[in-house]
Amino acid sequence: MIRKVKGTRDILPPETRLWSAVEGIALEVLGGFGYAEIRLPILEPTELFVRTVGEGTDIVSKEMYTFADRKGRSLTLRPEGTAGVARCFIENGLGQRPQPLRLCYLGPMFRYEKMQRGRYRQFAQIGIEILGAAAPAADVEVVLALHTFLSELGFDDLRIKLNNLGDPEDRERFIALLKGELGPSRDELCDDCRRRWTENPLRILDCKVPRCRELVAATTPVSEVASDPARAHVDAVEAALAELAIPVERAPRLVRGLDYYLRTVFEVVSPELGDDTVICGGGRYDRLIADLGGAPVPGVGFAIGEDRLVEVLPASFAGPRLERRAVALLPVGAAAVAPAAGLARDLVRSGVAVETEVTGRSLKAGLKWAAKIDAVVAVILGERELGDGVAVVRDLGRGEQSAVPLDRVVAKVVELLAGGGDR
Ligand code: ATP
Ligand code: MG
């Protein structure tokens, strides 16, 4: 037996219906705020992520699926979406379009990580980016769009944590301060953090090892080192969100796993998954496009982990939207096959979900099968009925049936489905 690649998932029906419902609502709600869908390649040049996500990050140092193609070019399966959007913005001259540009994406991402609940090697993200807006109003809108989307899904218990990372210039001062404060306990840090010390010290704040956390808890928070303009920016974002009654907590030591963020960073956690399993991460990245060789175009965005989101969807969501009461079509005899298929087409065009018996079962076996697939109505097309120009429409809940002229079957089925709430 061939098994799936470690860290990938088979998402089966009916769970796939949850996924497409979530994606549909995402495109609708985020699209409502002006974020138009963009579809980008999954394969990108490796250099794109090295230059944007940052060499000292977990993603670039150990999580990327990188390989040489047949001509020896180094390619990487995208580990996140923002870098590709930035590349595309520059390559397609999107700065020529009316600014700011609002974009939304969804699709698979790849990271070579240790498998655990909510952590996969192929996972899906839903994200938005607003490019060309430096003012706090853009950060406010991004968090508002996120909050609105999550509320539409029925969430009311998620926590949004927000921090101020300051500007890149502040970061150098912060790192010097952090190293000074952690210096005496440097030997007590975990192996990863000792590597981070030289490669990317800010990442030490993100370490999940308990002793590292204790040591970090005693240091000056990164938000306190932010310059006055950065402080004014994030304070303005926070004030506007408070005015909108969007509950946001300050988390003065929060950092994200990507180097390009500055000023505003935020994440969303759920009580069910706990603080270490983040559902959404986001923030501002004003230098990203310039660092890639483009114009100095500021940006803000977020990325939701769809696997984690679907896992904690409120029960209120799973119910009604998942309902799909099918009609079983039971042709009996070869002459009924084409009329049944034609009826299937008419029903589907009228918005009714059907499943047609196509294995040649007898009527009795066909009715058993209809019960097994939870059909609510069965339409029986036998040779005799067809000769009379009728079909038998059977309400499987009530066990009642009647012969209905073929051109009235669709209307009859629709009527039964509309009234069949007591099943
Ligand atoms: P974490 O701290 O959980 O490793 P991250 O900081 O690496 O997350 P981001 O790069 O900000 O995550 O990605 C945004 C979101 O994508 C995360 O909040 C999470 O929901 C989701 N995500 C990231 N990595 C994975 C993964 N390996 N499996 C499933 N979802 C993931
Ligand atoms: Mg990670």
Side-chain angles (χ1 to χ4, degrees):
M1 185 178 50
I2 297 175
R3 292 176 184 280
K4 62 181 174 302
V5 172
K6 191 170 168 187
T8 64
R9 314 171 67 197
D10 297 323
I11 300 166
L12 310 174
E15 200 196 334
T16 42
R17 289 182 52 75
L18 279 181
W19 285 69
S20 24
V22 164
E23 288 164 12
I25 294 172
L27 293 175
E28 208 175 285
V29 174
L30 302 173
F33 282 99
Y35 293 82
E37 190 188 2
I38 184 168
R39 298 191 186 200
L40 294 176
I42 287 169
L43 271 181
E44 293 278 5
T46 301
E47 192 198 351
L48 174 65
F49 305 108
V50 175
R51 293 239 327 247
T52 57
V53 174
E55 247 165 321
T57 58
D58 283 353
I59 293 180
V60 172
S61 66
K62 55 187 184 193
E63 295 175 355
M64 292 202 305
Y65 277 90
T66 296
F67 58 93
D69 73 2
R70 287 170 195 277
K71 289 267 170 66
R73 289 173 285 242
S74 182
L75 305 183
T76 293
L77 297 179
R78 65 180 184 192
E80 61 102 46
T82 306
V85 170
R87 189 234 357 107
C88 166
F89 186 92
I90 299 169
E91 191 169 347
N92 295 285
L94 297 184
Q96 302 305 311
R97 297 195 180 193
Q99 303 289 299
L101 193 64
R102 293 179 170 91
L103 299 169
C104 169
Y105 62 85
L106 40 91
M109 307 291 162
F110 301 82
R111 296 183 195 177
Y112 196 87
E113 296 207 66
K114 224 169 101 201
M115 267 270 290
Q116 55 193 53
R117 183 179 182 204
R119 194 172 291 285
Y120 311 102
R121 291 183 176 175
Q122 176 177 340
F123 58 97
Q125 285 185 340
I126 300 174
I128 66 172
E129 317 286 358
I130 178 167
L131 296 152
D139 314 45
V140 173
E141 180 183 280
V142 164
V143 176
L144 172 68
L146 170 65
H147 184 262
T148 310
F149 170 52
L150 295 173
S151 312
E152 282 299 306
L153 295 178
F155 286 106
D156 55 9
D157 58 353
L158 299 178
R159 289 163 50 218
I160 304 175
K161 302 198 263 180
L162 179 115
N163 195 18
N164 186 356
L165 285 187
D167 287 321
E169 297 73 31
D170 308 332
R171 187 131 345 143
E172 282 166 36
R173 277 189 295 124
F174 173 71
I175 286 168
L177 182 67
L178 181 74
K179 283 186 161 179
E181 290 177 345
L182 284 179
S185 355
R186 188 172 165 181
D187 293 343
E188 292 177 57
L189 293 169
C190 73
D191 290 349
D192 268 343
C193 281
R194 287 206 294 270
R195 179 177 55 79
R196 289 168 183 142
W197 187 275
T198 39
E199 281 179 18
N200 200 338
L202 196 69
R203 298 264 73 75
I204 297 174
L205 300 190
D206 214 9
C207 186
K208 311 273 191 296
V209 173
R211 182 60 189 149
C212 296
R213 281 193 172 181
E214 266 171 44
L215 293 170
V216 162
T219 59
T220 306
V222 59
S223 59
E224 282 181 24
V225 183
S227 64
D228 288 342
R231 211 172 269 249
H233 182 103
V234 178
D235 287 351
V237 173
E238 203 177 19
L241 292 173
E243 204 175 319
L244 287 161
I246 294 176
V248 170
E249 318 161 13
R250 272 282 180 142
R253 290 190 181 81
L254 174 71
V255 293
R256 307 276 330 131
L258 305 134
D259 277 356
Y260 50 66
Y261 286 133
L262 49 78
R263 297 195 174 184
T264 318
V265 283
F266 53 90
E267 64 182 33
V268 177
V269 293
S270 80
E272 198 175 332
L273 293 175
D275 278 18
D276 290 343
T277 309
V278 177
I279 287 184
C280 172
R284 179 166 275 283
Y285 48 84
D286 292 351
R287 312 279 170 97
L288 176 61
I289 291 183
D291 286 349
L292 270 182
V297 176
V300 203
F302 67 69
I304 297 173
E306 194 177 355
D307 303 70
R308 297 181 188 177
L309 184 74
V310 168
E311 198 179 329
V312 296
L313 275 179
S316 60
F317 178 78
R321 288 185 211 245
L322 258 188
E323 192 179 34
R324 184 139 193 199
R325 298 176 308 156
V327 171
L329 291 183
L330 307 176
V332 183
V337 167
L343 186 55
R345 176 172 56 195
D346 294 344
L347 283 164
V348 169
R349 283 178 173 164
S350 308
V352 175
V354 301
E355 276 198 56
T356 306
E357 207 303 302
V358 291
T359 65
R361 284 185 175 93
S362 69
L363 177 57
K364 198 173 150 208
L367 283 167
K368 266 195 194 156
W369 166 77
K372 223 180 256 177
I373 63 165
D374 284 331
V376 264
V377 174
V379 180
I380 302 155
L381 294 122
E383 269 171 54
R384 187 156 30 91
E385 285 89 359
L386 282 175
D388 295 342
V390 298
V392 172
V393 178
R394 185 176 171 92
D395 181 331
L396 294 169
R398 295 199 181 81
E400 295 163 4
Q401 65 178 46
S402 56
V404 177
L406 284 175
D407 60 357
R408 295 265 314 131
V409 170
V410 171
K412 177 69 181 172
V413 167
V414 168
E415 182 196 314
L416 280 179
L417 289 178
D422 57 339
R423 214 180 104 84

